[in-house]
Amino acid sequence: MKKLIDYINKHVLVNVASLQIVSVITRIIAGLLTSKAIAVFIGAEGMALIGNFQNFVSSLQNVSILGSYKGAVRYISKFREDVTELSKTISTVFYAGFIATIIVSAMCYFNAEAIKDIIFPSYNNYTLAIKVFAIVLPFYALNMFTFSIMNGFAKYKILIIINIIGQILSVSVALLLIYQEELKGALISVAIAESLIFLITLVGITNRRSLVPLIKAHRFSLSLLKKLAPYSSMALFSAVILPLVAIAIRTYIIDNIGYKDAGYWEAMLRISKYYLMFVTSLMTLYILPRFSEIKSKIEFKKEVLAFYKTVIPFLTIGLLLIYFLKSFIVLAVFSEEFKPVEDLFLWQVLGDFIKVHSMVIAFQFVAKKMFWHYIVTEALLIFILYYSSIYFINYFDGVKGAVFAHFVSYLVYYIIILSIFWSSLFSSSKK
């Protein structure tokens, strides 16, 4: 643990790390408040529909920016002292994202009716939410473009502050819309939430207009776009397909069991997302940059074991507390209607426990740009997750099958990851 703290002090800065913690806590509180409002004013059926729409929104948002955020940050950071190359990077990212966003927005807007039939089966009144999302999507893309520039220039503090203020604004609007319009309001809040943050970003960058002249159409570079492609492909693969698989599983639950059960599954996924946010933030802050630095198998092995020894015990205690306090958590976060969610905790928590173990090692794929390893393992995970969910939902004749499938999928995924990195983790070689 001392090594991890020393690293953060040296490389991330204490004030930035502290702000990041505040940002994560703000996001969790915002999510908890929204979940409570949905539970009270809308109920389990509405929770299922909102889950489908959130997955749809998340998937298309990533397509609209071509999954280029991390690659853009890397190249902006690399060329921030070279005006010509910086202009080429910013122009390429901007125009590629602009074209993709306009295409996605137009397709979404003009096919809203068809999309509605897929994500809102049996419900016919929510085409408006899809059209609103299509209209505000360019603002999300602009926000992420601006974030990539600020991140590339190491403006971490302002980035995190914008995120915190943006979360407060988004949850305020969401609560108001849910209170006034119930399900329709909740769906519209999902559509505009991420785009609303651009209003805060715009205020934060008004004194940083010097970068705008660097965006020039003739500086668009196909060669740079090809260099960004591996980052984009890795980011897009999971960020687009996993939400679509979640929609497919939730829709299967709706068709074969019912809306309420799909809502219970969505509620369990929300709780899982909230408590895992701390761990994933820590891994993004420490594991990814650290893995990018290390050069030998022995260093990689030491880092993985150090994480297991220092973080996993705390994770274990935390997950045990969550499991034993499940009745209180469900009542506090949702309502009495969601009591059946308690039956889903065991396999979800065990699956998340294994998921964290596997994620730590799998970060090496991204850190070392192991493109095909990443794509193949993610494809296998997605394939197993979908088909095992269908099988176990039928086997258990209920939504418990979906959380059991989550456990089985990540257990198999962890075995695959361990087999790939077996020589690095279990060999005594120091090369």
Side-chain angles (χ1 to χ4, degrees):
M1 182 59 78
K2 184 179 183 299
K3 189 176 180 183
L4 186 149
I5 293 168
D6 289 342
Y7 184 91
I8 289 176
N9 287 340
K10 184 178 178 182
H11 295 274
V12 185
L13 302 177
V14 174
N15 59 341
V16 173
S18 301
L19 273 173
Q20 179 68 17
I21 291 168
V22 173
S23 177
V24 171
I25 292 170
T26 305
R27 185 175 284 272
I28 291 171
I29 292 171
L32 292 173
L33 288 172
T34 307
S35 295
K36 187 70 174 179
I38 293 168
V40 171
F41 292 103
I42 302 170
E45 289 192 15
M47 185 76 75
L49 293 173
I50 292 163
N52 261 8
F53 190 51
Q54 278 183 322
N55 289 141
F56 167 77
V57 165
S58 171
S59 188
L60 261 66
Q61 281 174 338
N62 281 286
V63 173
S64 73
I65 60 169
L66 299 175
S68 62
Y69 182 81
K70 286 181 181 176
V73 170
R74 184 179 187 276
Y75 281 96
I76 289 167
S77 178
K78 182 180 179 181
F79 297 127
R80 60 186 180 185
E81 302 299 330
D82 185 333
V83 177
T84 303
E85 290 299 321
L86 179 62
S87 176
K88 187 189 293 185
T89 302
I90 292 175
S91 300
T92 302
V93 172
F94 176 80
Y95 283 107
F98 175 78
I99 293 166
T101 302
I102 295 302
I103 292 171
V104 171
S105 290
M107 288 180 67
C108 187
Y109 187 89
F110 293 110
N111 292 283
E113 284 289 334
I115 294 167
K116 176 210 66 182
D117 292 336
I118 296 170
I119 60 177
F120 303 132
S122 305
Y123 282 74
N124 301 305
N125 304 321
Y126 303 116
T127 308
L128 177 64
I130 298 167
K131 289 189 173 182
V132 168
F133 168 66
I135 292 166
V136 301
L137 185 59
F139 296 105
Y140 167 81
L142 276 172
N143 194 57
M144 294 307 293
F145 171 69
T146 309
F147 272 22
S148 68
I149 294 174
M150 286 193 283
N151 205 339
F153 277 89
K155 303 293 182 183
Y156 305 123
K157 195 170 181 179
I158 189 172
L159 257 178
I160 296 169
I161 290 170
I162 287 170
N163 260 314
I164 293 169
I165 298 170
Q167 285 301 318
I168 294 169
L169 175 64
S170 295
V171 74
S172 302
V173 172
L175 293 175
L176 181 64
L177 285 170
I178 291 168
Y179 176 73
Q180 290 187 333
E181 299 291 337
E182 296 184 343
L183 182 53
K184 186 185 289 185
L187 295 172
I188 291 172
S189 74
V190 170
I192 66 174
E194 295 293 329
S195 302
L196 272 178
I197 299 175
F198 183 66
L199 297 175
I200 311 299
T201 308
L202 202 60
V203 175
I205 61 169
T206 48
N207 62 340
R208 301 174 190 274
R209 290 188 293 268
S210 57
L211 291 172
V212 176
L214 295 179
I215 303 172
K216 297 177 180 179
H218 69 273
R219 288 274 170 84
F220 180 88
S221 170
L222 279 174
S223 61
L224 181 62
L225 202 60
K226 287 178 183 176
K227 290 178 183 177
L228 288 167
Y231 294 97
S232 297
S233 301
M234 286 193 284
L236 279 173
F237 193 81
S238 309
V240 173
I241 297 179
L242 270 175
L244 295 179
V245 168
I247 291 174
I249 295 169
R250 198 180 290 105
T251 303
Y252 186 83
I253 295 170
I254 289 169
D255 292 341
N256 292 273
I257 307 171
Y259 278 98
K260 281 203 169 187
D261 288 85
Y264 299 149
W265 183 57
E266 171 61 21
M268 186 68 252
L269 292 182
R270 281 174 175 251
I271 294 170
S272 170
K273 182 177 75 172
Y274 300 148
Y275 63 65
L276 284 180
M277 235 179 247
F278 286 106
V279 185
T280 52
S281 297
L282 176 62
M283 285 194 282
T284 304
L285 270 174
Y286 177 73
I287 293 292
L288 187 56
R290 182 68 189 110
F291 279 7
S292 299
E293 291 175 356
I294 60 179
K295 305 296 181 185
S296 67
K297 287 182 179 180
I298 198 72
E299 283 184 273
F300 171 65
K301 178 181 177 179
K302 282 180 179 178
E303 287 300 329
V304 172
L305 293 178
F307 187 90
Y308 280 178
K309 288 176 183 176
T310 55
V311 177
I312 295 301
F314 291 101
L315 176 69
T316 305
I317 294 166
L319 292 179
L320 283 171
L321 283 171
I322 287 165
Y323 179 74
F324 288 116
L325 294 172
K326 59 186 177 181
S327 298
F328 171 77
I329 291 169
V330 169
L331 196 58
V333 178
F334 303 107
S335 66
E336 193 68 37
E337 182 190 357
F338 287 81
K339 194 169 177 59
V341 176
E342 293 176 27
D343 296 332
L344 307 181
F345 269 73
L346 177 62
W347 296 114
Q348 184 69 39
V349 167
L350 285 173
D352 288 338
F353 183 70
I354 296 169
K355 179 180 179 179
V356 172
H357 279 73
S358 60
M359 279 174 65
V360 174
I361 303 171
F363 261 90
Q364 183 76 331
F365 292 146
V366 180
K368 300 302 180 189
K369 288 191 288 186
M370 299 169 70
F371 177 77
W372 284 111
H373 285 83
Y374 179 86
I375 295 295
V376 171
T377 53
E378 286 291 305
L380 281 170
L381 171 63
I382 290 164
F383 179 85
I384 295 166
L385 182 61
Y386 176 72
Y387 284 101
S388 65
S389 294
I390 303 304
Y391 175 79
F392 287 117
I393 287 167
N394 292 328
Y395 180 82
F396 285 101
D397 193 25
V399 74
K400 186 186 281 190
V403 289
F404 187 73
H406 169 73
F407 165 74
V408 170
S409 300
Y410 276 99
L411 181 61
V412 174
Y413 179 68
Y414 188 38
I415 292 168
I416 294 168
I417 295 295
L418 285 176
S419 66
I420 292 170
F421 290 101
W422 186 267
S423 62
S424 299
L425 294 170
F426 300 103
S427 170
S428 59
S429 171
K430 295 187 180 181
K431 291 183 183 181

